[in-house]
Amino acid sequence: MIGTMVSSKSVNADAVATGKTTSQREADRILVTRVQGGDVAAYDILVHRYRERLYSVVYNLTSNREDALDLTQEAFIKAFQSINRFKGNSSFYTWIYRIAVNNTLSHLKKFRNRKFLSFDNIDQEASQSDIFDVISAKNKTEKGTLLKELHEKLNEALQKLSLKHRSVVVLFEIEGMSHEQIADILKCSVGTVRSRLHYAKQQLRVHLKDFVD
Amino acid sequence: MDQKPKVEVEDLLKLKKFEQPDPEFWEQFDQGLRKKSMEALVQEKRGTWAALWERRWFQQTAVAMAFVFCGVPTYLGVQNLYVENQAEKNRFNMAQNEAVESISSRDLALETTRELARRKSMVDQTRFLVDSYQIDPQGYKLEGDIWQSNSGSESGRTYVNDRVQILSDDSRFLPVNLKY
């Protein structure tokens, strides 16, 4: 059953083709229907389609790469186990994000006192970005050192936010989701999302005052 | 005038997108997912109870329930036994104590006589002291402060004015009829 879900070699090409010709949501719906009908290979496509994005959310919520790895895998397994309960009221994308975010938030609540950060490498391409040029122009520090410092401060600042504020910032600012999508994932109103976002940014400005104007 | 662009929190957060796992990470991810999926499958086949049993909260609940359904009755049983033993011990002590104490006349009905017999069986070779009772020994051996009436309807009866000692080794103790 799920044992073969990651055997990407067995992925059917027609599903990929379908995804190209229809909207992403429709393609996902077709794949989900196939999984519900017992086609495990279809789930592999969904895993490969969303693993990076899901991992990114979980990683940015935890700032711990090992936890993020485990929690993303768990989210995929949980989603597979309850795929028959997915009715298609929301997109598969929103549904699996909700599973991953809730699973991560439960984990973070459970291990509230355990704060161990382990970061992914920051791509050196970041030092070529316009914004980094602006920051480095204001600092006398060498670029590599500055990038490392910023990388750490950014993660620490995120971890200082409460879970509900952190989730909104991660989903909106990093993942680029809309307020409506976030409200759907977090099961709250759009107004709540906006106000949490506003407050979270205020907090981040305080924590990152050395880097912002 | 300085026209340097301002750095906002939003700009800094965009740098988070540059944090990426190593390329070999996804290989590790796929392997781990495959392994965990197999474990989940095995667990599914083992059934809900077995899977539940591996959860800490379930174990704790099960232990608590086992304690409630088995431990409490056992505890109560033991407690009861203890109480009974304690009561028995108390009765034994009472019997021993009463062996040297007098018994009030109101208590000494026929039942009380049986009770005395029972106590006698518990505390062998002990003397019981009985206060002021009219005793019809019918020839049974009584020792102590006794006297016999030889007048009227009460003639021939044995009375105890003060205390009488019924010897524990007196096998004829049991049929002794004590009256008010």
Side-chain angles (χ1 to χ4, degrees), chain A residues 59-60 73 123 155 174 213, chain B residues 7 16-19 36:
Chain A
Y59 168 73
N60 286 315
Q73 289 169 338
D123 196 327
N155 278 294
I174 305 174
D213 292 309
Chain B
V7 179
K16 285 284 289 171
K17 283 191 178 292
F18 288 99
E19 283 182 51
K36 284 178 185 173

Side-chain angles (χ1 to χ4, degrees), chain A residues 71-100:
Chain A
L71 291 165
T72 311
Q73 289 169 338
E74 264 177 40
F76 277 118
I77 292 169
K78 282 184 180 176
F80 184 83
Q81 285 172 331
S82 49
I83 196 90
N84 288 326
R85 291 205 293 271
F86 176 70
K87 302 289 178 221
N89 298 329
S90 59
S91 64
F92 175 77
Y93 166 78
T94 309
W95 184 70
I96 199 159
Y97 261 67
R98 193 182 298 141
I99 293 174

